[in-house]
Every structure is written in structure tokens, then in C-alpha cells.
Amino acid sequence: MPGNAYTSVRSRTVANALRLYREQHHMSCEDVAEMLGVSASKISRMETGKSGLQMDDVASLLGFYKVPGARRRELLDLMRRGEEMGWWERQAGLPKLWRALIDFENKALRIHNYQALMIPGLLQTAEYAHALVKAIDPTLSEYELDKLVSARMARQTLLSRSNGPQYLAVVHEAALRIEVGDRGVMRRQLRQLQNVLERPNVTVVAVPMSAGPHVGLRGAFMVLEFEHEPAIVHVENQVTGLFLEDPADLEGYRLALRNILGVSLAPGATADLLAELIKE
């Protein structure tokens, strides 16, 4: 599903499971299709999430692959619960891309986020988020703005869950220095970053100005890793965002992250930098 902007977490989980079980049996889509009397393209579409998954079809494939009962019930229950919505799906006015990203964040085991020009959304204060979103889109009404900021604050609760993901934020020093709101807003935002450093599942490191040009100047990105499904990369620009799953894309962004970390400060030195910026 390379370049898919709005992939469902539930359909992705089931689709990937179907592909893995087929591969474990060393069968092609054509082999399975012939045995079940369906088209190979249907099997392929089910495994890539390009067609809606039907309960009967999934149950048939799980039975054909002799999937253990407990795992079979788990996957079918996941499909039955497809109508249940998280808070981000119920909230009116939330952009589709935000819904998809929040959906994936709530399923991830590890999140690695690089930001060059702004504080990552999962670590923003409400007043910083308000000033930032307003500056990015001045056409928003105050009601729309409040909705988006509330959603961003609710999104952050995943980091304080007992089963929350391990979160690594790599932030360029430029993002720490660009004044969003006013000096008071920025000072409180930097203190917020100091506070999150105390969480066992959150790591924040800064790329100093002294690092000079590096691969991170090509733009921000987020790598999300899951328990049962392949990792994905989320990238966003002025008008759209994408979720990338192609292995070559994943390896490229992982290499970029390693290179960026190679010029980043250690967590302790990052804490010292935050303290210095707060004093300025």
C-alpha cells in the first residue's frame, strides 16, 4: 500500500495477516485463488487493502490457512469491531489525514519523529499549538481552531498510557528557537519539553545549529513500528500527507534517521540546551 493517504489500521492488520499466512504456506495468490475458486486479483486486493474486506471471505481464507482458533477469533473480532470509532473518528471537523495518523499512532509500539521547523505535535503545549495552527492557516475560525487544538491535546494522551509507545523526538535547534506565539509561549513550550524528558518512554534529542547541513534538511518525517504489521513512514507537506510502506522507502528513511541521530546531541546535552534557551 505505498503512498496510501488514509489506510485503516484494522484493514491493514487483517490484510497483512492474510498475506503472511499465505507466504507461510509457500503459496502464490494464483495458487490460493485456484484452490478457492476465486480470482487471483481478489486475493491480491484483499492482501493490499485495495478492496473492502468481507467477513465471509476473510473467514474462508483463515480456515484455508488453518489459522489457530484463538488468532482466527482475534482477527474476525477485529473486523466486527470495525464500526467502533475512536474519539478522533467521532470528532467533527478533524481532517482525514489527522484521523489516519492518530489511528496509526494509537496502534504503534514505537514512534520515531524528526522535525526541523516546529515542535512535534505529540509534545506541543495547547497555546503553542493554537499559535502554530493559526499561523499556518489564518482562514480558520476560532471554533475550528479550538477543535484542532483540542484534538492535538487529546492525541498526546497516548504517551501517558501504561501501554503507550516508545517515542523518540529528534528536533532541530531551529524549531526550538523559532518564536511561535510570543516569548512566554515559547518559554513554557521549552519547559514542557524538559518535563517530558522525565517520562521513561519518551526521548528528546536536538540537532544543534553547529551540525551544519545534513540529510534532515530534506524535511520532517515519522516512522511508526507495530507488533504484527510492517512499519510505515508518514510524510506531510503543504497540501497533503502520505503513508509509505515500500521496503525501499522504509530503509531510506531509517537510514536518514540514523544519519540525523549521528549529528544530534545526547539527551543530557539536549537538556542543557533547553535550559540555556529558557534563560535567553
Side-chain angles (χ1 to χ4, degrees):
M1 288 173 279
N4 190 342
Y6 310 122
T7 309
S8 159
V9 167
R10 294 184 182 93
S11 64
R12 184 174 186 266
T13 299
V14 176
N16 276 287
L18 295 177
R19 176 182 55 80
L20 289 173
Y21 285 124
R22 176 180 57 76
E23 292 175 347
Q24 287 173 9
H25 283 74
H26 306 289
M27 300 179 73
S28 66
C29 290
E30 289 75 14
D31 295 333
V32 175
E34 184 177 353
M35 295 293 292
L36 296 180
V38 298
S39 69
S41 62
K42 177 175 181 176
I43 301 299
S44 177
R45 289 195 304 272
M46 290 176 68
E47 292 184 2
T48 57
K50 291 181 179 177
S51 65
L53 295 176
Q54 302 299 317
M55 186 74 70
D56 290 346
D57 291 336
V58 173
S60 295
L61 280 176
L62 295 177
F64 177 74
Y65 296 139
K66 296 182 172 57
V67 176
R71 178 60 172 158
R72 191 185 313 181
R73 288 190 294 273
E74 179 184 343
L75 291 170
L76 292 176
D77 185 56
L78 190 63
M79 292 190 65
R80 292 188 188 97
R81 291 188 288 110
E83 296 303 317
E84 296 177 8
M85 297 188 295
W87 63 265
W88 55 91
E89 295 170 296
R90 296 191 300 268
Q91 183 164 329
L94 198 61
K96 286 184 178 180
L97 181 64
W98 282 33
R99 296 176 193 271
L101 178 58
I102 295 170
D103 211 12
F104 280 122
E105 286 176 341
N106 275 268
K107 184 74 182 298
L109 291 179
R110 287 174 293 277
I111 301 173
H112 299 161
N113 190 189
Y114 169 69
Q115 285 288 350
L117 298 175
M118 66 183 72
I119 306 300
L122 287 173
L123 302 180
Q124 293 174 6
T125 64
E127 57 183 352
Y128 178 98
H130 187 280
L132 181 67
V133 175
K134 184 176 183 179
I136 291 174
D137 189 353
T139 67
L140 290 172
S141 68
E142 200 63 29
Y143 174 79
E144 292 170 324
L145 191 56
D146 288 342
K147 280 282 189 181
L148 293 176
V149 172
S150 296
R152 184 159 294 185
M153 295 302 100
R155 174 184 164 203
Q156 296 178 1
T157 59
L158 74 93
L159 294 180
S160 57
R161 292 186 328 215
S162 59
N163 63 340
Q166 290 293 317
Y167 180 65
L168 168 65
V170 186
V171 188
H172 198 283
E173 184 179 341
L176 304 177
R177 291 184 175 276
I178 294 175
E179 189 170 296
V180 175
D182 56 33
R183 292 176 65 86
V185 170
M186 282 306 300
R187 187 178 299 110
R188 288 185 288 275
Q189 174 62 75
L190 295 175
R191 285 178 178 151
Q192 164 79 348
L193 294 181
Q194 285 183 317
N195 293 336
V196 300
L197 290 175
E198 300 175 2
R199 296 184 182 179
N201 63 319
V202 177
T203 302
V204 179
V205 296
V207 180
M209 293 289 195
S210 59
H214 59 89
V215 67
L217 298 182
R218 297 180 70 178
F221 60 90
M222 180 186 292
V223 180
L224 301 100
E225 299 179 347
F226 308 89
E227 182 175 8
H228 297 298
E229 298 86 47
I232 60 173
V233 175
H234 175 245
V235 292
E236 189 174 359
N237 60 27
Q238 286 282 349
V239 296
T240 189
L242 292 175
F243 294 104
L244 307 175
E245 292 183 282
D246 185 271
D249 290 329
L250 284 167
E251 182 53 35
Y253 278 98
R254 282 179 168 142
L255 176 60
L257 181 63
R258 290 195 295 271
N259 289 336
I260 296 169
L261 287 172
V263 297
S264 298
L265 300 173
T270 296
D272 293 339
L273 174 61
L274 289 172
E276 292 175 10
L277 292 174
I278 289 171
K279 291 178 182 178
E280 291 183 2

